[in-house]
Amino acid sequence: MNPDMLPDNNQKTDSTNLWELLALFLRLGTTAFGGPAAHIAMMEDEVVRRRGWLTHEKFLDLLGATNLIPGPNSTEMAIHIGFLRGGWAGLVVAGVSFIIPAMVIVLAFAWAYVRFQKLPEVTWLLYGVKPVIIAIVLQALWGLGRTAIKTKFLGMLAILAAVLNFLGFDELAILLGAGIVVGWRQGLNLDRKGNVRALLIMTVLVGGFLTAVYFVMRVPTSGMVQFGLLPLFLFFCKIGSILFGSGYVLLAFLQADLVQNWHWLTATQLLDATAVGQVTPGPVFTTATFIGYLLGGFPGALIATAGIFLPAFFFVAISGPLVPRLRKSAIAGAFLDGVVVSSLSLMAVVTWRLGRDAVIDLPTALLAIGSAVLLIRFRLNSLWLVLGGALIGLMVYGIRTYLL
């Protein structure tokens, strides 16, 4: 295995590394608003720019690998980083630390929802935080893009991937398609014996994987299932094991089984649960925490959260060692390059869509521009920007609500 991708415990003791991981990901789990693209941008700022735990190249390889496995991307990035920094213990510490703050916050929302039958007002918070998040993601995209886009061909492929995503093409198909294109281009240029065979094997494996995912995600759940903690756990474990794509895909799965087939939730409850997952910091998959609490109280919340996140730990554990092996092969490394640039394109498209909702007036535009200046010129920590955005959002919302 490439020593660059092994856990790094040489400079400090294992316990020191674990405490660093614990502190960092507890903080990110509490303050990382904006969905996976924003979370990954904040992780890049912390572990690449500020702490130097990973190079841009290593971080990009992990990003590409994360996009090829099902589950919550930002949580899987945290788990990857934890493994490289603290071994198997770090894998668990980083992942759990990132999940727990979000779970606790969502639990508070769920308690208030059950008690008062409505969601607490958070408009002011998102008003100020969203523009800051856009600036953080754009800075990360700029830095990662300069490292990932090594040639004009990769640059054109990144643009094509973004266009296809805008047109509605499946995200996983775009990622794997870009990998195949770059792999074939590299393999044919090398002109060595066995390359064509390797390229054909790669194409067949990718095609088989896409086909399997397509059919698995479309297998309907048959019959009515009575609610219980075990069925709840198994359902969310299934979701965490097969779900690729955005939060909209998660909503479709939940709607099909929990509302239509099993009648565990009403459509309104599901939409409220999804909204909480979107507006709270940390992983969007904590929607499961909210649903679990509605259905089974505190035990249900814990069971649902464990079910949807456990597959992420498993997939990272088995896929992490494959990343350095891919880099050892010229063809497989080229495949990963294609996946990486298309991953950044998908992040850019998400950022564009978020930006249209975030920058809606002069104060939010000034917040986005000011945050970008503070990040680029003064390298201000993204935590302070998020907190400052929340405070400004509260001030503007208060002035508009009570004084105007």
Side-chain angles (χ1 to χ4, degrees):
M1 184 181 291
N2 186 339
D4 287 342
M5 299 297 289
L6 287 170
D8 176 18
N9 293 321
N10 295 325
Q11 295 182 351
K12 298 182 179 181
T13 65
D14 289 349
S15 60
T16 302
N17 287 347
L18 293 178
W19 280 111
E20 288 178 338
L21 288 168
L22 178 70
L24 173 62
F25 285 104
L26 281 176
R27 176 159 62 81
L28 287 176
T30 307
T31 60
F33 289 87
H39 305 163
I40 290 169
M42 294 179 75
M43 290 179 196
E44 187 269 344
D45 180 56
E46 293 288 352
V47 305
V48 177
R49 296 174 181 273
R50 298 190 176 280
R51 290 169 170 77
W53 291 354
L54 300 176
T55 63
H56 277 100
E57 291 80 3
K58 292 181 191 176
F59 190 88
L60 284 166
D61 282 349
L62 296 183
L63 177 62
T66 295
N67 277 281
L68 291 178
I69 58 178
N73 288 354
S74 55
T75 304
E76 288 163 347
M77 281 295 291
I79 297 169
H80 269 301
I81 294 166
F83 175 69
L84 292 180
R85 187 64 179 168
W88 294 107
L91 177 148
V92 175
V93 167
V96 172
S97 300
F98 187 58
I99 295 166
I100 283 180
M103 183 188 75
V104 171
I105 293 170
V106 170
L107 269 174
F109 272 82
W111 174 85
Y113 182 81
V114 170
R115 183 174 178 85
F116 304 109
Q117 296 302 307
K118 65 178 183 178
L119 293 175
E121 178 61 66
V122 293
T123 304
W124 64 270
L125 177 65
L126 296 180
Y127 175 85
V129 168
K130 281 183 177 180
V132 174
I133 293 300
I134 298 303
I136 293 171
V137 178
L138 287 176
Q139 184 211 29
L141 282 172
W142 174 254
L144 294 173
R146 288 188 300 174
T147 302
I149 302 175
K150 307 169 186 176
T151 64
K152 291 182 180 179
F153 178 78
L154 288 175
M156 291 187 292
L157 189 66
I159 294 172
L160 177 61
V163 171
L164 291 175
N165 190 230
F166 264 118
L167 294 176
F169 281 76
D170 182 80
E171 295 156 333
L172 185 61
I174 293 172
L175 293 168
L176 294 175
I180 288 179
V181 168
V182 181
W184 270 91
R185 185 173 186 269
Q186 177 72 7
L188 294 177
N189 286 341
L190 290 175
D191 193 26
R192 296 176 185 168
K193 283 186 177 182
N195 279 352
V196 173
R197 183 175 64 181
L199 291 168
L200 288 172
I201 292 173
M202 176 186 70
T203 305
V204 169
L205 288 175
V206 168
F209 178 62
L210 266 178
T211 303
V213 169
Y214 178 86
F215 283 108
V216 167
M217 293 184 72
R218 283 156 180 79
V219 172
T221 303
S222 58
M224 177 68 179
V225 176
Q226 293 297 322
F227 174 75
L229 292 182
L230 180 58
L232 182 70
F233 173 79
L234 294 176
F235 169 75
F236 279 110
C237 196
K238 180 191 78 171
I239 295 296
S241 300
I242 65 173
L243 187 63
F244 288 90
S246 67
Y248 297 110
V249 181
L250 173 63
L251 178 60
F253 270 87
L254 299 176
Q255 170 74 21
D257 282 335
L258 299 184
V259 177
Q260 293 180 354
N261 294 338
W262 301 344
H263 308 294
W264 289 3
L265 294 176
T266 66
T268 300
Q269 287 174 323
L270 176 58
L271 289 174
D272 289 340
T274 305
V276 169
Q278 296 286 343
V279 303
T280 49
V284 176
F285 272 32
T286 48
T287 296
T289 306
F290 191 94
I291 292 172
Y293 187 87
L294 293 187
L295 294 173
F298 185 69
L302 293 181
I303 287 292
T305 306
I308 203 167
F309 284 108
L310 275 177
F313 290 88
F314 171 76
F315 286 124
V316 170
I318 62 174
S319 66
L322 297 179
V323 177
R325 294 180 183 274
L326 288 175
R327 276 297 171 207
K328 287 182 180 179
S329 164
I331 294 175
F335 173 85
L336 190 57
D337 284 339
V339 172
V340 164
V341 296
S342 55
S343 298
L344 293 179
S345 296
L346 299 185
M347 280 183 64
V349 172
V350 169
T351 306
W352 167 257
R353 290 170 176 161
L354 290 174
R356 290 184 302 175
D357 294 330
V359 184
I360 56 176
D361 52 22
L362 181 60
T364 52
L366 292 175
L367 260 176
I369 295 170
S371 298
V373 171
L374 291 172
L375 279 169
I376 296 169
R377 179 66 179 85
F378 300 103
R379 295 176 60 88
L380 189 67
N381 193 302
S382 56
L383 167 65
W384 301 115
L385 287 174
V386 170
L387 294 177
L391 181 60
I392 292 173
L394 174 61
M395 293 170 58
V396 173
Y397 186 77
I399 290 172
R400 288 179 172 176
T401 303
Y402 300 107
L403 299 182
L404 297 182

